[in-house]
Amino acid sequence: MGRAVVTLKKSSKKISTMSSALDTLYSSPLDKLVDFNFDEKVANVFPDMINRSVPGYATIVAMTGILSAEFYQPGTRCYDLGCSLGALALSMAKAIKDDSLKIIAVDNSQAMLQKAQTLINQSDPVESNADCIELICDDINQIDVNNASVVVMNFTLQFIAPEQRSKLLKKIYHGMNQGGILILSEKLNYNDSSQQQLLIEMHHCFKKANGYSDLEITQKRQTIENVLLPETLEKHKTRLHEAGFKQVEQWFQCFNFSSLIAIK
Ligand code: GEK
């Protein structure tokens, strides 16, 4: 099996710096706040950004390896949808012991995938088993999902237009084998306003404890609120059942960040 391939459907663009840096993107007052997007600047600081912003991120990455090894069925595929730098794909590749393992990792940000490819190339081929990862640059609404026993969407569905979410989950369900698992992690919303406010405050405490200033927290919130659209836990559970999943369980929550498993 060859090295992982980046199938870039759009024109390829070179990343100037590949090292993971400290996220200071919102540390100075910005004249104009534009909607958050996963460009080269974000890709360059992404590991720092997600670890300091998403409570429990490292735990979810590690547990995804454990769950995927448990639910993987030999001869099937694993998918990491909205893979960013491929952290979940790498966690699965390391945990699943099968020479015929194939992991399809999809993202529509070229900047993210260029950096993911570099990280894969830099990883130890024996220990990481990263050769089994195929990177695809595409919209997850457009790709086919086939013969899957493990599908991961780690904080990706929240960026998909709400009216497209059911269709996407139904497609995933139909592309999975019986007994397969979908691991879905999302930021949550609450219908009760005091609960919503409390959970948001706790999340902001977490970010401040990780070194983000009030200015950084406010500017990031203003740029992301039009593109990251969280929903309630109940909404996610209902939609997963409607897609056909027979068992849906919340296995993790830290503040307003949660992860669910859905079994076909
Ligand atoms: C991780 N899972 O490290 N098609 C493909 N990719 C998309 C789409 C789409 N329609 N919309 C957004 N993305 C990763 C973290 S980040 C979450 C996932 C966050 C991609 C987008 O380019 C980005 O890389 C990813 O989804 C969301 O666990 O930053 O909060």
Side-chain angles (χ1 to χ4, degrees), residues 108-164:
N108 62 358
S109 160
Q110 282 187 28
M112 284 291 193
L113 289 188
Q114 295 285 355
K115 193 153 168 65
Q117 183 66 73
T118 302
L119 294 176
I120 286 170
N121 292 345
Q122 285 169 351
S123 64
D124 179 315
V126 178
E127 213 220 326
S128 71
N129 191 28
D131 278 358
C132 67
I133 302 171
E134 180 183 353
L135 299 176
I136 295 177
C137 189
D138 207 341
D139 181 346
I140 57 172
N141 292 304
Q142 302 302 329
I143 59 141
D144 290 332
V145 175
N146 288 313
N147 189 24
S149 59
V150 182
V151 179
V152 173
M153 271 205 287
N154 208 38
F155 302 108
T156 305
L157 192 67
Q158 60 196 18
F159 292 102
I160 302 297
E163 65 277 9
Q164 294 178 340

Side-chain angles (χ1 to χ4, degrees), residues 27 67 72 75 92 140 186 212 230 236 253:
S27 58
L67 291 173
Y72 171 72
M92 291 192 279
I140 57 172
E186 288 279 293
Y212 284 117
H236 285 297
Q253 179 156 352

Side-chain angles (χ1 to χ4, degrees), residues 36 38 46 50 54 57 61 80-88 106-109 112 138-141 154-156 158-160 228:
F36 186 86
F38 294 94
F46 192 71
I50 197 152
V54 175
Y57 176 74
V61 173
D80 181 1
L81 303 180
C83 64
S84 298
L85 305 189
L88 280 290
V106 185
D107 205 288
N108 62 358
S109 160
M112 284 291 193
D138 207 341
D139 181 346
I140 57 172
N141 292 304
N154 208 38
F155 302 108
T156 305
Q158 60 196 18
F159 292 102
I160 302 297
L228 192 170

